[in-house]
Amino acid sequence: MVKLAIMIEGQEGLTWERWFRLVDAAENLGYDSIWRSDHLFSVMGETQRETLALVPSLAAAAMRTNRVEFGTLVSPTTFRHPVHLAMEAVTLDTLSNGRYWHGLGAGWNEAEHQSFGFPLPPLKERMDRFEEALKVTRLLRSGETVSFDGEHFPLDNARTAMTASRENGPRMIIGGKGEKRTLPLVAEYADEWNATTITRDEYARVAAVLKSHCDAVGRDFSTIQRSLMTGHIVGRDQADLRERARRVQQIIPALRDLSPDDVIARNRERGWMVGTVDEVTEEIRARGEQGIDRIMLQTFDQDDMDALQLIAEEIIPNV
């Protein structure tokens, strides 16, 4: 069985009205969870688009729902301090009775960092900061007074006196496919590993690399939940599919010069969930056979509630 989730780019036109509608859809239509990104403005270059602040939107989701899980994909440690993130994560997890997933990443968007005055260090330094952030997060989860001689995030007799819903604090999700730095960190720290827009063949190869890192640190590979975040274009028939492709290409600037048929073909090749209901159902089942537990459907058209209902009614019961 593969769980389906809704994933929203919170910097690409998300408003409170849209967010509440999407959260309600996740809760009421049978989706497993709802996720959102953490960026300060559009990563597509459309900086006039509405951006909804991360933590208030997640707190609202916690209070508006009773069933669905929710989380961040992912907060960058280049402009989010891990101490603040760790404390916010405990609060969100407690507020939701243990339904929050805490997502961390190394940061990557150059324009975003430049515009808001945040340094974007070279990749090695970003990964070093990320690894330290994970260590700090784990230490602070203990509830004990802790110290850490970190280069980027030192702690000196620090304690977060906060009661968590879970014994070991909120669950951690790490995304990425980097074989030298990211996957070893997944093996050591993650409760869930998320891969983004990847073909079946490439996923099988990367998952095998992750298993080897798990073996190296003595961790059972099966204890890591696995998820895939990817776009979707689903139609009742070919005409419906083309119409949804037209809508998506108006949202994503890089697709605007293509024909709808090219949008469909290219994104299917990349690893999106693209096709009629039967075609997408078959693809999701194939991903499940690879060991993927959850697919986060990157919903670029935040107003297409009909597509979310179609997936809920005709795909979720069959996967």
Side-chain angles (χ1 to χ4, degrees), residues 74-92:
V74 289
S75 288
T77 54
T78 44
F79 62 74
R80 303 284 194 197
H81 197 288
V83 171
H84 291 149
L85 289 172
M87 296 182 74
E88 290 161 356
V90 171
T91 301
L92 290 166

Side-chain angles (χ1 to χ4, degrees), residues 30-46:
Y31 286 89
D32 156 77
S33 51
I34 186 164
W35 303 76
R36 59 151 298 176
S37 57
D38 184 9
H39 289 287
L40 303 175
F41 68 7
S42 169
V43 298
M44 299 181 190
E46 305 286 300

Side-chain angles (χ1 to χ4, degrees), residues 195-207:
T196 302
T197 309
I198 187 171
T199 64
R200 280 189 242 166
D201 288 346
E202 179 65 4
Y203 180 84
R205 189 191 68 78
V206 176

Side-chain angles (χ1 to χ4, degrees), residues 50 55 230 268:
E50 290 271 356
V55 175
T230 192
R268 180 184 282 131

Side-chain angles (χ1 to χ4, degrees), residues 229-292:
M229 181 183 78
T230 192
H232 66 94
I233 308 174
V234 184
R236 291 176 175 84
D237 51 35
Q238 290 300 318
D240 195 27
L241 186 61
R242 288 192 186 95
E243 178 55 31
R244 288 214 161 86
R246 289 188 190 96
R247 293 175 65 165
V248 168
Q249 69 183 136
Q250 294 308 306
I251 296 165
I252 303 177
L255 301 179
R256 288 176 186 163
D257 292 335
L258 302 177
S259 70
D261 285 341
D262 282 342
V263 171
I264 291 167
R266 292 190 187 189
N267 285 302
R268 180 184 282 131
E269 288 173 3
R270 291 176 60 206
W272 280 29
M273 300 294 114
V274 177
T276 61
V277 165
D278 288 345
E279 290 170 335
V280 171
T281 299
E282 181 181 346
E283 178 64 19
I284 291 171
R285 287 173 177 165
R287 299 293 185 136
E289 290 174 0
Q290 289 190 299
I292 291 175

Side-chain angles (χ1 to χ4, degrees), residues 9 16 18 27 37 40 105-106 135 167 175 197 200 219 228 232 249 251 253 287 294 316:
E9 298 290 348
W16 279 114
R18 284 173 170 153
E27 175 83 351
S37 57
L40 303 175
K135 291 178 179 178
E167 182 178 351
T197 309
R200 280 189 242 166
R219 182 172 184 184
L228 168 68
H232 66 94
Q249 69 183 136
I251 296 165
R287 299 293 185 136
R294 171 163 37 207
I316 288 178

Side-chain angles (χ1 to χ4, degrees), residues 11 34 48 57 96 100 103 106 110 173 181 184 186 198 209 221-222 225 242 253 255-256 276 282:
Q11 71 287 345
I34 186 164
Q48 78 284 357
S57 71
S96 64
Y100 178 66
E110 184 175 356
I173 181 167
R181 294 296 301 272
V186 171
I198 187 171
V209 175
F221 177 58
S222 68
Q225 185 164 304
R242 288 192 186 95
L255 301 179
R256 288 176 186 163
T276 61
E282 181 181 346

